[in-house]
Amino acid sequence: MSTSMNNTHSKKRINEVLTGNYDKKYRPNMHGPPVIVTASVLINSFYSSTDTGMDFTVTLFLRTRWVDPRLEYTDDETQTLTLHSDGVNEVWVPPLYFPDEKSGQFHKLTTENVLLRIYPDGTVLHSARFTITLSCMMHLERYPMDEQTCNMEIESFSYTTVDLILQWAPDGDTLEAFGVREGISLPQFRFNQATPDRSRTTRNFTTGNFSYLTATISLQRQKELFIMSSYLPSLLIVVLSWFSFWINPNSEPARVSLVMTALLTLCTQMNGIQATVPRVAHLKAIDVWMSVCLVFVFAALVEYAAVNYISLQTRKSRRKQQSFEMINLIENKENNKVNHKSEDGRTSRESKGPESAVIGFQFRDVIDHVRPGQIDYHSRIAFPIAFMVFNIFYWPTYLCWLD
């Protein structure tokens, strides 16, 4: 009976405080020291992180705690008063905002997800759940083998450091300063760590100095996804273009179709990759890879053009050689017929014979030393070795990148 009367009396005391002299338009300690607001963030889910928008979206609990002497009650020190969303509007709450916010929304199913708890000594705990999209300036030189560090900032909107000071919850506090729920998985990233900056910092504006907090979220991109979707297909396309070196140079439709198909497929893949990342001024790791693959496939096409050109020249040289041999044979026969009639005939025969032999030697030299089959043979060795050398330098460079 006495316990019930104490509870009733305690509730009446709180109601009297909120409806009597309490005015939520004024901060606690209105003419005294600034209000120390302790903040805590718990990331409940991580929806996405987009490179094109340079942002990330999270659902989080923002918990803040401060002392308001006007809300003290001493009737029952073991009792706390919990207010629902309507009651929260009756209490002073520090006006905070996220400077890097792009968009956000409070959750209202089945009721507004907000909690306010008042302790006997005047301590007030406020907790709100909402989804927010924050900007994150990403450095994509190593994309898709990069690690990104995104900042989450909380700042006082209207109260300067004269009236309000923000701080992260200290170690060992019942509130965890900055936490991430276990088991969160992302399509492209995995969490490395989330660290709050405990140093008190202020920003200077023309309207005054404002207190703000910063926490860093370290994300590591999962390379396996891009190896299967980008690197492996492009690697197979490059290897496919090398099959043309084993096709007979006279099979022009087969060789041209194979290399052109590989080239167009690689260009389509490059366009698809570029559509998923922002257009930045610097080269990304994936840009270097795709560009080199494109060069190798294009080089295979140029190699066949050289083979085809040399093959045509060889055939022309053979035809010319045969023509010269035929002409020489006819001339020799004619010279033999008139050999006994004129000394000039012997002179003509002696002068034309060596000249024809020199011309024939030049064409035979071209045929012997520049053959289409030799170009294909050396390409089968040179192209894979060159691509292997590129890989030896590429992967250690970007995997062991030092910022």
Side-chain angles (χ1 to χ4, degrees):
M1 183 66 178
S2 59
T3 303
S4 177
M5 292 178 61
N6 289 337
N7 290 339
T8 303
H9 183 66
S10 176
K11 290 181 181 178
K12 288 182 179 178
R13 177 68 179 275
I14 290 295
N15 291 333
E16 291 176 358
V17 170
L18 293 177
T19 58
N21 298 326
Y22 188 87
D23 192 345
K24 69 173 184 179
K25 294 192 300 291
Y26 303 102
R27 70 170 180 88
N29 304 324
M30 184 59 191
H31 300 289
V35 181
I36 306 297
V37 178
T38 302
S40 169
V41 171
L42 174 63
I43 296 180
N44 188 52
S45 59
F46 203 114
Y47 287 101
S48 63
S49 178
T50 60
D51 301 308
T52 53
M54 291 284 190
D55 55 30
F56 63 100
T57 303
V58 293
T59 295
L60 55 84
F61 290 93
L62 174 60
R63 302 186 179 104
T64 53
R65 185 181 61 198
W66 66 95
V67 177
D68 191 342
R70 297 172 296 178
L71 300 178
E72 292 182 0
Y73 59 96
T74 57
D75 298 81
D76 189 348
E77 296 182 356
T78 62
Q79 181 183 5
T80 60
L81 179 63
T82 301
L83 303 178
H84 56 79
S85 57
D86 293 336
V88 171
N89 298 327
E90 303 297 326
V91 180
W92 179 88
V93 176
L96 306 179
Y97 79 108
F98 292 83
D100 297 329
E101 175 198 358
K102 285 188 173 181
S103 62
Q105 62 175 3
F106 283 96
H107 294 272
K108 299 183 178 181
L109 293 177
T110 59
T111 183
E112 188 173 356
N113 296 174
V114 62
L115 163 71
L116 191 138
R117 186 173 296 162
I118 303 174
Y119 294 87
D121 60 352
T123 300
V124 182
L125 175 64
H126 181 271
S127 178
R129 175 177 174 264
F130 50 89
T131 298
I132 187 171
T133 300
L134 300 173
S135 62
C136 176
M137 295 305 298
M138 299 182 179
H139 302 279
L140 301 174
E141 292 85 355
R142 293 179 58 194
Y143 178 89
M145 293 172 282
D146 54 332
E147 297 179 5
Q148 300 296 337
T149 300
C150 298
N151 293 331
M152 179 181 292
E153 297 181 351
I154 305 173
E155 186 174 338
S156 171
F157 186 80
S158 57
Y159 289 106
T160 64
T161 53
V162 177
D163 297 312
L164 188 147
I165 294 177
L166 288 172
Q167 67 177 14
W168 289 112
D171 294 332
D173 197 289
T174 55
L175 296 178
E176 184 180 6
F178 199 93
V180 179
R181 185 176 62 84
E182 295 183 1
I184 291 181
S185 60
L186 300 173
Q188 294 189 19
F189 290 94
R190 63 171 59 94
F191 277 104
N192 277 350
Q193 61 180 358
T195 307
D197 184 1
R198 296 186 178 278
S199 61
R200 292 184 179 180
T201 53
T202 59
R203 279 202 175 100
N204 301 324
F205 298 98
T206 56
T207 53
N209 300 332
F210 295 85
S211 178
Y212 79 100
L213 300 176
T214 302
T216 58
I217 302 174
S218 179
L219 304 173
Q220 183 178 10
R221 200 180 300 271
Q222 300 186 33
K223 299 179 287 293
E224 297 81 3
L225 172 65
F226 295 91
I227 289 176
M228 297 303 297
S229 63
S230 299
Y231 283 96
L232 185 58
S234 57
L235 173 63
L236 295 178
I237 292 172
V238 173
V239 174
L240 179 64
S241 68
W242 298 342
F243 290 169
S244 63
F245 304 149
W246 276 266
I247 300 178
N248 192 320
N250 296 325
S251 302
E252 296 181 4
R255 292 192 66 161
V256 173
S257 299
L258 177 62
V259 180
M260 286 301 299
T261 300
L263 187 63
L264 294 176
T265 304
L266 199 60
C267 291
T268 302
Q269 186 182 16
M270 289 184 64
N271 292 333
I273 293 174
Q274 291 298 326
T276 60
V277 295
R279 298 184 180 274
V280 293
H282 53 264
L283 283 176
K284 301 178 288 294
I286 191 66
D287 294 337
V288 175
W289 172 268
M290 296 301 297
S291 298
V292 171
C293 290
L294 187 64
V295 168
F296 270 90
V297 175
F298 182 77
L301 182 61
V302 173
E303 188 269 351
Y304 174 67
V307 168
N308 188 48
Y309 176 79
I310 293 176
S311 179
L312 291 175
Q313 294 299 320
T314 302
R315 288 195 293 268
K316 289 181 181 178
S317 299
R318 289 176 179 175
R319 288 195 296 269
K320 288 182 179 179
Q321 183 182 5
Q322 293 174 357
S323 299
F324 277 114
E325 291 176 351
M326 183 64 67
I327 293 172
N328 289 334
L329 180 61
I330 295 173
E331 290 180 349
N332 289 334
K333 290 181 178 180
E334 292 177 353
N335 290 333
N336 289 332
K337 291 180 180 180
V338 298
N339 186 33
H340 63 281
K341 296 182 179 180
S342 172
E343 184 67 19
D344 294 339
R346 289 195 298 270
T347 305
S348 175
R349 181 191 61 188
E350 292 174 355
S351 61
K352 290 182 179 180
E355 180 180 359
S356 300
V358 171
I359 295 175
F361 174 77
Q362 291 176 348
F363 282 107
R364 286 195 300 271
D365 184 70
V366 172
I367 295 174
D368 293 338
H369 292 83
V370 184
R371 289 182 297 178
Q374 287 183 334
I375 297 178
D376 281 340
Y377 174 77
H378 290 96
S379 296
R380 298 168 194 169
I381 301 174
F383 273 67
I385 291 178
F387 193 70
M388 187 180 300
V389 171
F390 164 70
N391 278 266
I392 291 175
F393 285 96
Y394 177 84
W395 292 103
T397 298
Y398 287 102
L399 289 176
C400 305
W401 184 290
L402 297 178
D403 293 333

